Protein backbone atom coordinates (compact mmCIF):
# COMPACT_ATOMS: atom_id res chain seq x y z
CA UNK A 1 0.00 0.00 0.00
CA UNK A 2 1.04 3.61 -0.59
CA UNK A 3 2.53 5.29 2.49
CA UNK A 4 0.46 7.90 4.31
CA UNK A 5 1.97 11.39 4.25
CA UNK A 6 1.42 12.16 7.95
CA UNK A 7 2.20 9.78 10.80
CA UNK A 8 -0.98 11.08 12.44
CA UNK A 9 -3.07 10.61 9.29
CA UNK A 10 -5.19 7.71 8.11
CA UNK A 11 -5.74 6.24 4.68
CA UNK A 12 -9.27 7.65 4.69
CA UNK A 13 -7.83 11.20 4.88
CA UNK A 14 -6.24 10.87 1.46
CA UNK A 15 -8.20 11.72 -1.70
CA UNK A 16 -8.05 9.39 -4.72
CA UNK A 17 -4.90 9.90 -6.75
CA UNK A 18 -5.02 11.68 -10.13
CA UNK A 19 -2.93 10.44 -13.05
CA UNK A 20 0.12 12.42 -14.13
CA UNK A 21 1.27 12.13 -17.76
CA UNK A 22 4.48 12.66 -19.71
CA UNK A 23 5.10 14.41 -23.02
CA UNK A 24 8.18 15.81 -24.77
CA UNK A 25 9.37 18.95 -26.49
CA UNK A 26 10.37 18.59 -30.15
CA UNK A 27 12.43 20.25 -32.87
CA UNK A 28 9.71 22.78 -33.69
CA UNK A 29 9.39 23.75 -30.02
CA UNK A 30 13.16 24.22 -29.80
CA UNK A 31 13.22 26.33 -32.95
CA UNK A 32 10.62 28.77 -31.56
CA UNK A 33 12.41 28.98 -28.20
CA UNK A 34 15.78 29.66 -29.84
CA UNK A 35 14.23 32.50 -31.84
CA UNK A 36 13.04 34.07 -28.59
CA UNK A 37 16.23 33.57 -26.56
CA UNK A 38 17.63 37.07 -27.35
CA UNK A 39 14.51 38.45 -25.59
CA UNK A 40 15.05 36.31 -22.48
CA UNK A 41 16.39 38.23 -19.42
CA UNK A 42 18.46 35.15 -18.56
CA UNK A 43 20.48 35.66 -21.75
CA UNK A 44 20.11 39.40 -22.42
CA UNK A 45 22.05 40.36 -19.29
CA UNK A 46 19.01 41.70 -17.40
CA UNK A 47 19.55 38.91 -14.86
CA UNK A 48 23.07 38.30 -13.55
CA UNK A 49 22.44 35.76 -10.78
CA UNK A 50 23.29 32.06 -10.94
CA UNK A 51 20.30 29.94 -11.91
CA UNK A 52 19.27 26.79 -10.05
CA UNK A 53 21.35 23.82 -11.17
CA UNK A 54 18.61 21.22 -10.75
CA UNK A 55 15.59 22.87 -12.43
CA UNK A 56 16.90 25.03 -15.29
CA UNK A 57 14.50 26.89 -17.54
CA UNK A 58 13.54 25.35 -20.88
CA UNK A 59 15.62 27.92 -22.78
CA UNK A 60 18.60 27.16 -20.52
CA UNK A 61 18.21 23.42 -21.21
CA UNK A 62 18.04 23.98 -24.96
CA UNK A 63 21.21 26.12 -24.88
CA UNK A 64 23.19 23.89 -22.51
CA UNK A 65 22.09 20.57 -24.03
CA UNK A 66 21.91 21.51 -27.68
CA UNK A 67 22.61 17.91 -28.70
CA UNK A 68 19.25 16.81 -27.26
CA UNK A 69 16.37 16.80 -29.74
CA UNK A 70 13.71 16.64 -27.01
CA UNK A 71 13.20 17.22 -23.28
CA UNK A 72 10.78 15.37 -21.02
CA UNK A 73 7.85 17.26 -19.49
CA UNK A 74 5.56 16.09 -16.68
CA UNK A 75 1.90 16.96 -17.22
CA UNK A 76 0.66 17.46 -13.65
CA UNK A 77 -3.01 18.19 -12.80
CA UNK A 78 -3.30 21.15 -10.40
CA UNK A 79 -6.14 19.45 -8.53
CA UNK A 80 -9.05 17.01 -8.70
CA UNK A 81 -11.66 19.63 -9.63
CA UNK A 82 -9.83 21.86 -12.12
CA UNK A 83 -8.74 21.59 -15.73
CA UNK A 84 -5.49 23.47 -14.99
CA UNK A 85 -2.27 21.60 -15.72
CA UNK A 86 1.20 22.42 -14.42
CA UNK A 87 3.83 21.75 -17.08
CA UNK A 88 6.78 20.57 -15.00
CA UNK A 89 10.04 21.05 -16.91
CA UNK A 90 8.90 24.03 -18.96
CA UNK A 91 9.78 26.88 -16.59
CA UNK A 92 10.75 29.91 -18.64
CA UNK A 93 11.61 33.62 -18.64
CA UNK A 94 10.77 34.00 -22.33
CA UNK A 95 8.17 36.57 -23.47
CA UNK A 96 4.56 35.37 -23.19
CA UNK A 97 4.00 35.13 -26.95
CA UNK A 98 7.05 32.88 -27.42
CA UNK A 99 6.02 30.63 -24.53
CA UNK A 100 2.52 30.22 -25.96
CA UNK A 101 3.74 29.45 -29.50
CA UNK A 102 6.28 26.91 -28.24
CA UNK A 103 3.75 25.29 -25.90
CA UNK A 104 1.27 24.64 -28.72
CA UNK A 105 3.90 22.73 -30.72
CA UNK A 106 4.18 20.08 -27.97
CA UNK A 107 2.33 16.82 -28.57
CA UNK A 108 -0.97 16.92 -26.69
CA UNK A 109 -0.88 20.70 -26.22
CA UNK A 110 -1.98 21.68 -29.73
CA UNK A 111 -5.15 23.34 -28.42
CA UNK A 112 -3.88 24.34 -24.98
CA UNK A 113 -4.81 27.63 -23.32
CA UNK A 114 -2.24 29.35 -21.12
CA UNK A 115 -3.63 30.62 -17.82
CA UNK A 116 -0.37 32.12 -16.58
CA UNK A 117 3.02 32.33 -18.32
CA UNK A 118 6.24 31.21 -16.68
CA UNK A 119 8.52 33.81 -15.16
CA UNK A 120 12.04 34.24 -13.80
CA UNK A 121 13.05 35.71 -10.45
CA UNK A 122 16.36 37.05 -9.22
CA UNK A 123 17.09 37.43 -5.54
CA UNK A 124 19.96 38.58 -3.37
CA UNK A 125 21.18 36.61 -0.38
CA UNK A 126 23.51 36.99 2.55
CA UNK A 127 26.29 34.36 2.66
CA UNK A 128 25.00 31.88 5.26
CA UNK A 129 28.48 31.43 6.76
CA UNK A 130 27.60 34.61 8.69
CA UNK A 131 25.06 32.62 10.74
CA UNK A 132 25.30 30.65 13.96
CA UNK A 133 24.01 27.07 14.05
CA UNK A 134 20.77 28.47 15.48
CA UNK A 135 20.32 30.61 12.31
CA UNK A 136 20.92 33.73 14.40
CA UNK A 137 23.17 36.25 12.66
CA UNK A 138 26.62 36.69 14.19
CA UNK A 139 26.71 40.44 13.62
CA UNK A 140 23.22 41.38 14.86
CA UNK A 141 22.11 39.55 18.02
CA UNK A 142 18.50 38.28 18.05
CA UNK A 143 18.16 38.60 14.27
CA UNK A 144 17.43 35.21 12.67
CA UNK A 145 17.51 34.42 8.94
CA UNK A 146 15.59 31.69 7.10
CA UNK A 147 14.88 30.82 3.47
CA UNK A 148 16.10 32.42 0.26
CA UNK A 149 17.99 35.09 2.20
CA UNK A 150 20.36 32.24 3.15
CA UNK A 151 20.87 31.21 -0.48
CA UNK A 152 18.44 28.29 -0.65
CA UNK A 153 15.80 27.49 -3.25
CA UNK A 154 12.66 25.42 -2.72
CA UNK A 155 9.62 25.62 -0.45
CA UNK A 156 10.69 22.73 1.78
CA UNK A 157 14.13 24.25 2.44
CA UNK A 158 12.51 27.54 3.45
CA UNK A 159 9.92 25.84 5.65
CA UNK A 160 12.57 23.76 7.45
CA UNK A 161 14.72 26.81 8.16
CA UNK A 162 11.70 28.86 9.21
CA UNK A 163 10.71 26.22 11.75
CA UNK A 164 14.19 26.09 13.30
CA UNK A 165 14.69 29.88 13.23
CA UNK A 166 11.29 30.38 14.87
CA UNK A 167 11.99 27.80 17.59
CA UNK A 168 15.41 29.30 18.27
CA UNK A 169 14.07 32.86 18.37
CA UNK A 170 11.59 31.69 21.04
CA UNK A 171 14.35 29.87 22.97
CA UNK A 172 16.60 32.94 22.73
CA UNK A 173 14.12 35.27 24.45
CA UNK A 174 13.73 32.65 27.19
CA UNK A 175 17.53 32.49 27.65
CA UNK A 176 17.50 28.79 26.74
CA UNK A 177 20.07 26.84 24.70
CA UNK A 178 19.31 26.76 20.94
CA UNK A 179 17.91 23.72 19.16
CA UNK A 180 20.54 22.16 16.89
CA UNK A 181 19.44 19.15 14.84
CA UNK A 182 22.48 17.05 14.04
CA UNK A 183 23.31 15.68 10.59
CA UNK A 184 22.43 12.20 11.87
CA UNK A 185 19.04 13.34 13.23
CA UNK A 186 17.36 15.00 10.25
CA UNK A 187 17.77 16.50 6.79
CA UNK A 188 17.08 19.94 8.28
CA UNK A 189 20.29 19.41 10.26
CA UNK A 190 22.22 18.53 7.09
CA UNK A 191 20.87 21.60 5.26
CA UNK A 192 21.70 24.09 8.02
CA UNK A 193 25.10 22.53 8.72
CA UNK A 194 26.00 22.69 5.00
CA UNK A 195 24.92 26.33 4.73
CA UNK A 196 26.73 27.72 7.75
CA UNK A 197 29.95 25.72 7.39
CA UNK A 198 30.34 25.39 3.63
CA UNK A 199 28.32 28.33 2.34
CA UNK A 200 26.89 28.28 -1.17
CA UNK A 201 27.63 30.07 -4.43
CA UNK A 202 24.48 28.86 -6.20
CA UNK A 203 20.86 28.28 -5.11
CA UNK A 204 21.09 25.46 -2.54
CA UNK A 205 18.72 22.51 -2.73
CA UNK A 206 18.53 19.67 -0.22
CA UNK A 207 19.19 16.22 -1.70
CA UNK A 208 19.56 12.88 0.03
CA UNK A 209 23.02 12.60 -1.55
CA UNK A 210 24.21 15.50 0.63
CA UNK A 211 23.68 13.40 3.78
CA UNK A 212 26.28 10.88 4.90
CA UNK A 213 23.84 9.02 7.20
CA UNK A 214 21.07 8.14 4.76
CA UNK A 215 20.41 4.72 6.32
CA UNK A 216 19.43 6.45 9.56
CA UNK A 217 17.51 9.33 7.91
CA UNK A 218 14.64 7.27 6.54
CA UNK A 219 11.04 8.33 5.98
CA UNK A 220 9.71 5.45 8.08
CA UNK A 221 11.53 6.53 11.25
CA UNK A 222 11.19 10.33 10.99
CA UNK A 223 8.64 10.35 13.83
CA UNK A 224 10.94 8.40 16.13
CA UNK A 225 13.89 10.67 15.34
CA UNK A 226 12.19 14.03 15.72
CA UNK A 227 9.03 13.70 17.87
CA UNK A 228 11.03 13.36 21.13
CA UNK A 229 12.86 16.61 20.29
CA UNK A 230 9.58 18.47 19.73
CA UNK A 231 8.11 16.91 22.88
CA UNK A 232 11.07 18.04 25.02
CA UNK A 233 10.71 21.57 23.61
CA UNK A 234 7.09 21.65 24.78
CA UNK A 235 5.67 22.23 21.29
CA UNK A 236 1.88 22.11 20.95
CA UNK A 237 -0.10 18.87 20.49
CA UNK A 238 2.91 16.62 21.08
CA UNK A 239 1.40 14.42 23.80
CA UNK A 240 -0.57 12.23 21.38
CA UNK A 241 2.34 12.11 18.92
CA UNK A 242 4.77 11.07 21.65
CA UNK A 243 2.34 8.40 22.81
CA UNK A 244 2.16 7.04 19.24
CA UNK A 245 5.96 6.92 19.05
CA UNK A 246 6.15 5.04 22.38
CA UNK A 247 3.53 2.55 21.16
CA UNK A 248 5.45 2.12 17.90
CA UNK A 249 8.70 1.37 19.75
CA UNK A 250 6.91 -1.12 22.00
CA UNK A 251 5.27 -2.90 19.03
CA UNK A 252 8.59 -3.10 17.16
CA UNK A 253 10.25 -4.60 20.24
CA UNK A 254 7.48 -7.20 20.60
CA UNK A 255 7.67 -8.25 16.94
CA UNK A 256 11.48 -8.41 16.97
CA UNK A 257 11.39 -10.54 20.14
CA UNK A 258 8.77 -12.89 18.65
CA UNK A 259 10.53 -13.53 15.35
CA UNK A 260 13.88 -13.83 17.12
CA UNK A 261 12.56 -16.79 19.11
CA UNK A 262 10.20 -18.44 16.61
CA UNK A 263 11.74 -21.29 14.60
CA UNK A 264 10.52 -22.69 11.28
CA UNK A 265 11.05 -26.29 10.16
CA UNK A 266 12.44 -27.22 6.70
CA UNK A 267 9.21 -28.88 5.54
CA UNK A 268 7.27 -25.69 6.37
CA UNK A 269 9.47 -23.21 4.51
CA UNK A 270 11.38 -25.12 1.80
CA UNK A 271 8.53 -25.11 -0.78
CA UNK A 272 8.44 -21.30 -0.48
CA UNK A 273 12.23 -21.00 -0.71
CA UNK A 274 12.35 -23.19 -3.80
CA UNK A 275 9.55 -21.18 -5.40
CA UNK A 276 11.52 -17.91 -5.06
CA UNK A 277 14.85 -19.47 -6.05
CA UNK A 278 16.36 -19.35 -2.56
CA UNK A 279 18.45 -22.14 -1.01
CA UNK A 280 16.43 -24.65 1.05
CA UNK A 281 17.23 -25.20 4.74
CA UNK A 282 18.15 -28.54 6.33
CA UNK A 283 17.23 -27.84 9.94
CA UNK A 284 15.03 -25.52 11.97
CA UNK A 285 15.93 -21.86 11.44
CA UNK A 286 14.81 -18.76 13.32
CA UNK A 287 12.20 -16.63 11.58
CA UNK A 288 14.51 -13.58 11.96
CA UNK A 289 17.37 -15.37 10.20
CA UNK A 290 15.18 -16.25 7.21
CA UNK A 291 13.92 -12.69 7.03
CA UNK A 292 17.46 -11.58 6.14
CA UNK A 293 17.05 -13.24 2.74
CA UNK A 294 16.29 -10.76 -0.08
CA UNK A 295 12.98 -12.16 -1.36
CA UNK A 296 11.42 -13.03 1.99
CA UNK A 297 9.15 -10.56 3.77
CA UNK A 298 6.81 -10.45 6.77
CA UNK A 299 3.74 -10.91 4.55
CA UNK A 300 5.34 -14.06 3.03
CA UNK A 301 5.21 -15.73 6.43
CA UNK A 302 1.80 -14.28 7.29
CA UNK A 303 0.23 -15.85 4.24
CA UNK A 304 1.55 -19.34 4.98
CA UNK A 305 1.86 -19.90 8.73
CA UNK A 306 -1.36 -19.49 10.79
CA UNK A 307 0.50 -19.01 14.10
CA UNK A 308 2.68 -16.22 12.71
CA UNK A 309 -0.30 -14.70 10.90
CA UNK A 310 -2.30 -14.64 14.15
CA UNK A 311 0.50 -12.83 15.99
CA UNK A 312 1.41 -10.31 13.26
CA UNK A 313 -2.23 -9.39 12.55
CA UNK A 314 -2.19 -7.34 15.77
CA UNK A 315 0.00 -4.78 14.03
CA UNK A 316 -0.57 -2.50 11.04
CA UNK A 317 1.57 -2.46 7.89
CA UNK A 318 3.56 0.61 9.01
CA UNK A 319 4.81 -1.23 12.12
CA UNK A 320 5.56 -4.43 10.22
CA UNK A 321 7.48 -2.57 7.49
CA UNK A 322 9.71 -0.56 9.83
CA UNK A 323 10.42 -3.64 11.95
CA UNK A 324 11.36 -5.62 8.85
CA UNK A 325 13.70 -2.84 7.70
CA UNK A 326 15.34 -2.81 11.14
CA UNK A 327 15.96 -6.57 11.00
CA UNK A 328 17.02 -6.85 7.36
CA UNK A 329 19.48 -3.95 7.51
CA UNK A 330 20.57 -4.23 11.15
CA UNK A 331 24.25 -4.70 10.27
CA UNK A 332 24.32 -1.58 8.08
CA UNK A 333 22.26 0.47 10.55
CA UNK A 334 24.52 -0.50 13.49
CA UNK A 335 27.66 0.30 11.50
CA UNK A 336 26.33 3.74 10.57
CA UNK A 337 25.24 4.39 14.16
CA UNK A 338 28.75 3.50 15.40
CA UNK A 339 30.17 6.09 13.00
CA UNK A 340 27.65 8.67 14.24
CA UNK A 341 28.66 7.96 17.85
CA UNK A 342 32.33 8.54 17.00
CA UNK A 343 31.56 11.80 15.21
CA UNK A 344 29.24 12.93 18.02
CA UNK A 345 32.13 12.72 20.44
CA UNK A 346 33.77 15.48 18.36
CA UNK A 347 30.46 17.39 18.28
CA UNK A 348 30.53 17.44 22.08
CA UNK A 349 34.03 18.96 22.22
CA UNK A 350 33.21 22.65 22.41
CA UNK A 351 35.56 25.36 21.12
CA UNK A 352 35.87 28.28 23.53
CA UNK A 353 34.70 31.50 21.91
CA UNK A 354 37.79 33.31 23.19
CA UNK A 355 40.25 31.10 21.27
CA UNK A 356 42.36 33.19 18.87
CA UNK A 357 42.94 30.88 15.89
CA UNK A 358 45.72 33.06 14.46
CA UNK A 359 47.83 32.35 17.53
CA UNK A 360 47.69 28.53 17.18
CA UNK A 361 51.00 27.34 15.75
CA UNK A 362 50.67 24.43 13.34
CA UNK A 363 47.35 25.46 11.80
CA UNK A 364 47.52 26.09 8.07
CA UNK A 365 46.99 29.65 6.88
CA UNK A 366 43.74 28.63 5.16
CA UNK A 367 42.45 26.89 8.31
CA UNK A 368 43.19 30.00 10.40
CA UNK A 369 41.33 32.19 7.95
CA UNK A 370 38.28 29.87 7.66
CA UNK A 371 38.07 29.17 11.41
CA UNK A 372 38.34 32.87 12.23
CA UNK A 373 35.62 33.74 9.71
CA UNK A 374 33.11 30.96 10.48
CA UNK A 375 33.81 30.65 14.24
CA UNK A 376 32.66 27.01 14.68
CA UNK A 377 31.33 26.12 18.11
CA UNK A 378 32.50 22.49 18.23
CA UNK A 379 35.35 20.39 16.81
CA UNK A 380 32.78 18.48 14.74
CA UNK A 381 31.64 21.68 13.06
CA UNK A 382 35.25 22.77 12.47
CA UNK A 383 36.02 19.43 10.78
CA UNK A 384 33.34 20.06 8.12
CA UNK A 385 34.62 23.47 7.04
CA UNK A 386 36.05 23.42 3.53
CA UNK A 387 39.81 24.06 3.77
CA UNK A 388 40.20 22.71 7.33
CA UNK A 389 42.14 19.44 7.04
CA UNK A 390 42.28 16.47 9.46
CA UNK A 391 45.78 17.59 10.50
CA UNK A 392 44.37 21.04 11.38
CA UNK A 393 41.77 19.34 13.58
CA UNK A 394 44.53 17.35 15.32
CA UNK A 395 46.45 20.58 16.00
CA UNK A 396 43.30 22.20 17.34
CA UNK A 397 42.59 19.24 19.66
CA UNK A 398 46.14 19.26 21.00
CA UNK A 399 45.95 23.02 21.59
CA UNK A 400 42.63 22.71 23.40
CA UNK A 401 43.95 19.77 25.43
CA UNK A 402 46.48 22.08 26.99
Amino acid sequence: PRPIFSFMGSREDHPPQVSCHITYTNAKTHEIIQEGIPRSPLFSGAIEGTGPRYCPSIEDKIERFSQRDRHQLFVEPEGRFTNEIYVNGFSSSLPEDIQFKALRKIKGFENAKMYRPGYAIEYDYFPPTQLKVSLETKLVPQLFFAGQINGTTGYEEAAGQGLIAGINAALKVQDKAPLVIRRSEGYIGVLIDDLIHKGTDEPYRMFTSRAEFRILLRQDNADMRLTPIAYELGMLNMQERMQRVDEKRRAMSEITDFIGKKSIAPDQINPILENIGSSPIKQKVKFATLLLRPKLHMHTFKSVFPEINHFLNQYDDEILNITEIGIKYKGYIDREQDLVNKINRLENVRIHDKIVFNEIAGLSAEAKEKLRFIQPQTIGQASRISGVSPSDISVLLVYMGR
Side-chain angles (χ1 to χ4, degrees):
R2 290 190 301 268
I4 297 168
F5 187 74
S6 168
F7 287 102
M8 300 301 288
S10 66
R11 204 159 293 286
E12 292 71 40
D13 296 333
H14 288 245
Q17 297 297 290
V18 181
S19 294
C20 175
H21 298 88
I22 287 174
T23 187
Y24 296 88
T25 61
N26 53 57
K28 191 63 182 172
T29 315
H30 293 192
E31 184 182 318
I32 293 168
I33 289 169
Q34 281 173 328
E35 287 173 8
I37 279 179
R39 296 168 63 194
S40 164
L42 289 174
F43 292 88
S44 67
I47 286 181
E48 297 176 358
T50 304
R53 180 184 296 270
Y54 302 100
C55 49
S57 66
I58 189 65
E59 59 267 33
D60 204 9
K61 282 191 278 195
I62 286 170
E63 281 289 294
R64 283 163 54 186
F65 308 108
S66 55
Q67 75 281 9
R68 298 280 299 274
D69 56 6
R70 68 177 193 170
H71 291 281
Q72 182 173 273
L73 305 174
F74 290 97
V75 185
E76 301 176 352
E78 284 282 272
R80 293 177 61 211
F81 306 110
T82 178
N83 59 1
E84 272 191 63
I85 296 291
Y86 176 66
V87 188
N88 186 340
F90 201 79
S91 65
S92 177
S93 68
L94 289 165
E96 185 174 347
D97 60 307
I98 297 292
Q99 290 188 40
F100 184 61
K101 279 171 63 180
L103 203 61
R104 282 210 158 186
K105 295 300 178 183
I106 295 167
K107 188 174 181 180
F109 293 171
E110 293 85 356
N111 299 309
K113 294 180 180 178
M114 188 164 69
Y115 283 93
R116 288 173 296 277
Y119 59 93
I121 64 164
E122 184 179 28
Y123 63 92
D124 290 322
Y125 77 105
F126 291 109
T129 49
Q130 300 176 96
L131 300 172
K132 298 177 182 178
V133 287
S134 62
L135 295 181
E136 181 183 16
T137 60
K138 293 173 182 174
L139 295 176
V140 184
Q142 301 187 28
L143 175 63
F144 291 78
F145 282 172
Q148 286 186 336
I149 197 170
N150 291 338
T152 61
T153 182
Y155 303 112
E156 301 83 3
E157 287 79 1
Q161 291 174 74
L163 176 66
I164 300 302
I167 288 171
N168 283 329
L171 292 172
K172 178 83 174 184
V173 297
Q174 297 175 66
D175 291 322
K176 293 180 179 178
L179 167 65
V180 179
I181 294 178
R182 290 178 168 171
R183 297 180 72 91
S184 57
E185 292 177 325
Y187 281 102
I188 291 175
V190 176
L191 179 144
I192 292 173
D193 191 76
D194 276 356
L195 289 174
I196 65 173
H197 294 118
K198 299 176 184 176
T200 184
D201 55 6
E202 62 180 273
Y204 180 98
R205 195 99 219 230
M206 184 70 253
F207 290 100
T208 55
S209 59
R210 297 191 192 272
E212 59 272 59
F213 305 120
R214 292 190 292 280
I215 297 175
L216 300 181
L217 303 182
R218 308 190 309 274
Q219 66 185 38
D220 57 271
N221 68 1
D223 55 338
M224 296 194 293
R225 285 186 279 113
L226 300 171
T227 303
I229 295 173
Y231 182 74
E232 286 298 317
L233 285 168
M235 293 178 71
L236 293 175
N237 306 320
M238 280 297 139
Q239 190 69 45
E240 185 185 353
R241 286 178 178 269
M242 195 64 225
Q243 188 177 334
R244 288 274 290 267
V245 169
D246 289 339
E247 289 170 0
K248 191 171 179 178
R249 291 188 194 279
R250 176 188 53 76
M252 289 170 62
S253 178
E254 290 171 356
I255 297 168
T256 304
D257 186 58
F258 173 81
I259 67 173
K261 293 175 180 175
K262 179 70 180 171
S263 294
I264 297 176
D267 61 323
Q268 290 179 292
I269 193 66
N270 278 345
I272 296 172
L273 296 178
E274 289 167 8
N275 189 46
I276 63 172
S278 190
S279 303
I281 60 173
K282 296 179 180 177
Q283 58 189 27
K284 279 192 171 184
V285 172
K286 291 284 190 293
F287 178 9
T289 304
L290 283 170
L291 199 56
L292 297 175
R293 297 195 181 193
K295 295 180 182 179
L296 287 177
H297 303 282
M298 291 271 195
H299 62 79
T300 312
F301 297 95
K302 277 181 69 176
S303 63
V304 179
F305 305 113
E307 184 186 348
I308 292 173
N309 184 52
H310 177 73
F311 177 80
L312 295 181
N313 269 345
Q314 304 174 70
Y315 309 99
D316 61 30
D317 288 338
E318 179 197 347
I319 300 295
L320 296 179
N321 288 339
I322 190 171
T323 307
E324 182 176 314
I325 288 168
I327 293 166
K328 278 187 178 294
Y329 300 100
K330 185 178 186 304
Y332 297 102
I333 292 169
D334 289 349
R335 187 169 67 188
E336 196 156 280
Q337 188 60 57
D338 287 343
L339 180 58
V340 167
N341 295 339
K342 289 176 184 174
I343 290 172
N344 281 348
R345 286 197 283 272
L346 293 179
E347 294 293 342
N348 293 328
V349 180
R350 298 198 64 78
I351 299 173
H352 199 283
D353 57 9
K354 292 184 180 177
I355 283 184
V356 180
F357 296 108
N358 276 355
E359 295 178 358
I360 302 176
L363 282 180
S364 69
E366 184 179 5
K368 288 178 181 178
E369 180 185 332
K370 296 285 181 67
L371 290 167
R372 189 175 70 250
F373 177 65
I374 293 176
Q375 292 291 316
Q377 295 175 317
T378 69
I379 289 292
Q381 291 171 12
S383 70
R384 294 191 294 277
I385 297 172
S386 174
V388 177
S389 69
S391 60
D392 291 319
I393 295 299
S394 298
V395 169
L396 197 52
L397 283 168
V398 169
Y399 179 85
M400 291 169 59
R402 292 174 183 170

